[in-house]
Every structure is written in C-alpha cells, then in structure tokens.
Amino acid sequence: AQELEKDRYGPKVLLTPEGRIIKLFRRKRHLSMNSLYPYARRFQRNAQRLQRYGVPTVQVEAVYRCPAIERDLVVYPLLTGSPLRQYLQTAGNGRSILGELAEFVARLHHKGIYFRSLHLGNILRHPEGELMLIDVADLRFLWLPMSPLGRARNFRHLFRYPQDLAIIRHYGLKRFLARYLLSSGISPWSAKVLLSRLMQKRAADGQN
C-alpha cells in the first residue's frame, strides 16, 4: 500500500492498489475508554450515523485489530474529490465554494452535529460539487440544534488553523459568517451571542 499520511509513531493512512483507504488508530493508553471502545469503532459508528442524518461521508467496509503493531484499522473505498484546503490552493479555483461551506456547517449545527475536527483538510469536495466529511472519529450528536456557545466553540476549531483562516479572510470573514447565519435558522438573539463570543475570542487572541 502507498503511505499517504504518517506521524512520529508510524503510518496513519494508507492507499491500497485496489483503491481502498486503510486508516490506522493508535491506542494511546492501555487502560482507557479507547481500549474499551476504540476510535476505529467510533469512526464506523459516526460514519453510519452521519449517513442516516443525510450527511455525505465515508462508507466503512471493515474494522480490524492488528495486535502485531498495536493498531486498530478501518477500511473504506477511496472517495473521489479533493480536501477543500488542497482544492482552494489550486490555481484557478474560485473561492465561492466557501459560501457553500458556510451553509454546510450551518446544516451540521442545525442537525446537532458537533464536528471536533472541523477544518478545511477534513471536508472533501466531490467533483460534482458535493461537500463530504472525512476523519469522522471525533463527533458528537446532540438531540437539538447546537447552542450559540457550542457553535462558537466549533468555529474556533476551524479558525485556529492559520492556513484555513487566511483562506476565509480572503473570502471575507464577515461575508462567511453572514452566509452561515442566513442558513442557520437561529434567532437574532442567538446570532448576536454567537458573533459576540467569536469576536471576544479573536480580541483575546490579538486578531482582527
């Protein structure tokens, strides 16, 4: 298999000759919730639940445990498309897709989906324009639409990546948030709380 991603512990993502992705998860502690309910199982469960919610994502074919390397694995077909971070860095690609991203995030929040790994590297753009979630091991599903404070926390995951924030700034941060609010369905009071929290955080970080 071809190694697509690795860290200091070894391979993280592999591509097989048959066009399947093998994603490897390391168990960080021997006695933890991760050993009882490994991230590979969470990944599979979250992918299945996202599909039930109508959110495009990966379709897990199998989950394995490999004791020889102390890793859990998920296997799924390679998705067609490019991560938004890569797509937007390609010469000639317009940034109107960011308006669609704002609407996509608004739909997730309205469904009560808190995607902790929210950044432009974990959202795939299909050639036909559809946006899809990848790396879905770390998700929370709420019974109700997310609160303004929860939405603000989730946005801070996105804004903490300098390369992603630079792309959004080029599009226009206020324009991006306005597109989000237009699609969110939240009340004017909730929108005010959300924007206030985001601006407070950015002021504390010394950002404009």
Side-chain angles (χ1 to χ4, degrees):
Q2 176 187 352
E3 187 177 81
L4 300 182
E5 187 179 340
K6 67 177 181 179
D7 61 14
R8 61 193 179 100
Y9 298 103
K12 290 182 66 178
V13 182
L14 305 172
L15 174 63
T16 72
E18 298 79 21
R20 285 177 172 77
I21 293 292
I22 300 175
K23 187 170 178 61
L24 299 91
F25 297 89
R26 181 175 64 90
R27 296 191 183 185
K28 298 178 182 179
R29 293 186 299 272
H30 291 294
L31 296 176
S32 68
M33 283 298 296
N34 188 24
S35 61
L36 299 174
Y37 191 52
Y39 275 107
R41 290 293 177 191
R42 298 185 201 181
F43 188 102
Q44 180 188 43
R45 179 203 62 184
N46 290 342
Q48 292 171 344
R49 196 165 180 183
L50 284 171
Q51 290 161 15
R52 293 198 296 270
Y53 275 63
V55 178
T57 188
V58 302
Q59 303 221 11
V60 176
E61 293 182 339
V63 178
Y64 298 108
R65 171 68 177 162
C66 185
I69 58 172
E70 297 183 339
R71 297 290 186 273
D72 298 296
L73 321 171
V74 293
V75 181
Y76 56 88
L78 175 67
L79 296 174
T80 303
S82 303
L84 279 185
R85 188 179 290 157
Q86 176 183 334
Y87 175 80
L88 290 166
Q89 290 173 349
T90 302
N93 283 335
R95 298 182 183 270
S96 60
I97 190 71
L98 286 173
E100 297 174 32
L101 171 64
E103 295 177 356
F104 182 70
V105 175
R107 289 196 297 272
L108 293 180
H109 290 172
H110 183 72
K111 293 175 184 287
I113 298 172
Y114 186 90
F115 185 36
R116 286 192 180 94
S117 300
L118 179 64
H119 60 72
L120 298 186
N122 279 339
I123 300 176
L124 200 75
R125 183 188 182 274
H126 191 273
E128 295 183 1
E130 186 177 47
L131 298 182
M132 312 175 74
L133 291 185
I134 58 176
D135 200 5
V136 297
D138 206 359
L139 284 173
R140 285 180 61 200
F141 294 88
L142 308 174
W143 291 106
L144 296 171
M146 285 174 57
S147 69
L149 300 184
R151 293 168 191 253
R153 283 196 301 271
N154 205 194
F155 269 120
R156 289 200 288 268
H157 287 288
L158 176 61
F159 295 158
R160 70 180 178 177
Y161 294 90
Q163 63 270 49
D164 294 350
L165 184 57
I167 290 172
I168 294 172
R169 278 178 169 169
H170 185 76
Y171 174 81
L173 181 58
K174 290 183 178 179
R175 181 184 175 192
F176 180 83
L177 292 174
R179 187 79 172 263
Y180 169 88
L181 292 174
L182 190 64
S183 303
S184 67
I186 62 176
S187 68
W189 178 85
S190 295
K192 183 176 180 180
V193 172
L194 168 61
L195 294 174
S196 174
R197 276 303 178 109
L198 287 175
M199 294 306 108
Q200 286 175 10
K201 175 62 177 175
R202 296 182 61 73
D205 293 340
Q207 298 173 321
N208 297 319

